[in-house]
Amino acid sequence: MTRDLRLSIWVLALAYFLFYTPYAALAKALTSGALLDTGPVPGLTVLPATVAATVVVTMLILATTGWWRTMDRLHLGRLAIPVPSRWIALAGLAEAVVIGTTTLAYSFAGVSIVFMMLLMRGGVLLMSPFVDRLHQRRIRWFSALALGLCLLALSLALTDPAGTAMTTGAWLVVAAYLGGYLIRFQVMGVLAKSHERAANLRYFAEEQLVATPVLLLVLSLVALVGGDSVQPLRDGFTSLPAGVLVPALAVGGLYALLSLFGTLIYLDRNENSYAVPVNRSASLVAGVVARPPHILRIAAGWRPISAAACRWSLSSAWILPASST
């Protein structure tokens, strides 16, 4: 096995970190009011523009890479229309939930960005060994150790009362996020995550073809038929505040790119207990870096995660060797 293949997952992790950092910082700054003089912008108001940008950038990725050619086809006369298989379509619906809840997670006033990330990432970490056992994947010692260190980082952070305030809406977002990932991992373990590159690319292409367009369609329908409670979402389609459009589109574009690399990490042929800590550590470090004073000094008042939790989170990445079997 060549060195570039052994290091491939770490190249993906670096790219994931590089796109996740500005995404998290910009999403939090935009919705908290730190970016604009107009004050905080509700997460639901930002969502239509961000999802629309994610759709466009994702479709550009599929078109420019040629990965759309790996998809199944529906033949209508001389036309061959790319369509997802039934189970990958289900995973795409689950990914739509993940996309929507990821952006909403950073929009709750008074809720720490890193604390939300710890709950969401920790939940995915906890489910990874159970999914491996279900699909009869061997969990190697270094994967188990890295997984344990990541979970220890979570427990250390949760014992710190600073920045742990949560609302009912925030808990619901976390629950929906984890449910979406559970479905994705189940489908991924059966139809992809293999030595066959074409199978992995097919999964990515078909899942993404469903996920973002469906989410945009659902948001449109909710805004159209919903009552007064969805007025912030309706405002995102009809009266987006001045100055919000460009940063909201940037958030969506960044999400499409980080989703590309994050999904490819999950599709790595190694066990979930290996791939998930790589992905989660990269995103957690990105969340820490995205907080002031690291990137957005203008958004004062956000308290950083405890130093102990940071050290344990970072240490998990060093346990995982840059090799695969």
Side-chain angles (χ1 to χ4, degrees), residues 130-188:
F130 296 101
V131 175
D132 282 332
R133 291 301 185 188
L134 183 63
H135 295 286
Q136 299 182 337
R137 292 181 180 271
R138 181 171 65 93
I139 301 175
R140 293 165 292 180
W141 71 266
F142 47 80
S143 298
L145 182 57
L147 181 65
L149 288 174
C150 287
L151 293 174
L152 182 57
L154 174 66
S155 64
L156 288 173
L158 292 178
T159 59
D160 183 359
T164 59
M166 289 285 285
T167 65
T168 301
W171 283 116
L172 290 175
V173 163
V174 172
Y177 175 90
L178 296 178
Y181 260 112
L182 181 60
I183 294 173
R184 291 185 73 202
F185 284 163
Q186 289 283 64
V187 177
M188 197 180 293

Side-chain angles (χ1 to χ4, degrees), residues 263-307:
T263 302
L264 292 179
I265 291 173
Y266 289 136
L267 287 168
D268 183 86
R269 62 182 175 271
N270 290 284
E271 65 269 30
N272 288 287
S273 299
Y274 182 102
V276 172
V278 172
N279 181 293
R280 302 293 83 176
S281 295
S283 65
L284 182 56
V285 173
V288 173
V289 174
R291 293 168 58 87
H294 309 294
I295 285 188
L296 294 178
R297 296 179 181 273
I298 57 173
W302 299 346
R303 289 172 298 212
I305 189 175
S306 64

Side-chain angles (χ1 to χ4, degrees), residues 55 58-73 82-85 88-89 91-93 95 184 188 191-192 197-213 259-260 263-264 267:
V55 171
T58 299
M59 295 305 114
L60 287 175
I61 290 172
L62 295 181
T64 56
T65 59
W67 293 349
W68 63 273
R69 296 188 181 93
T70 64
M71 298 173 58
D72 286 342
R73 297 289 196 277
V83 294
S85 64
I88 298 182
L93 294 176
E95 170 67 348
R184 291 185 73 202
M188 197 180 293
L191 299 180
R197 182 172 181 269
N200 293 339
L201 295 182
R202 172 176 172 251
Y203 176 92
F204 175 82
E206 293 188 3
E207 182 187 65
Q208 296 304 312
L209 185 68
V210 173
T212 48
S259 180
L260 163 65
T263 302
L264 292 179
L267 287 168

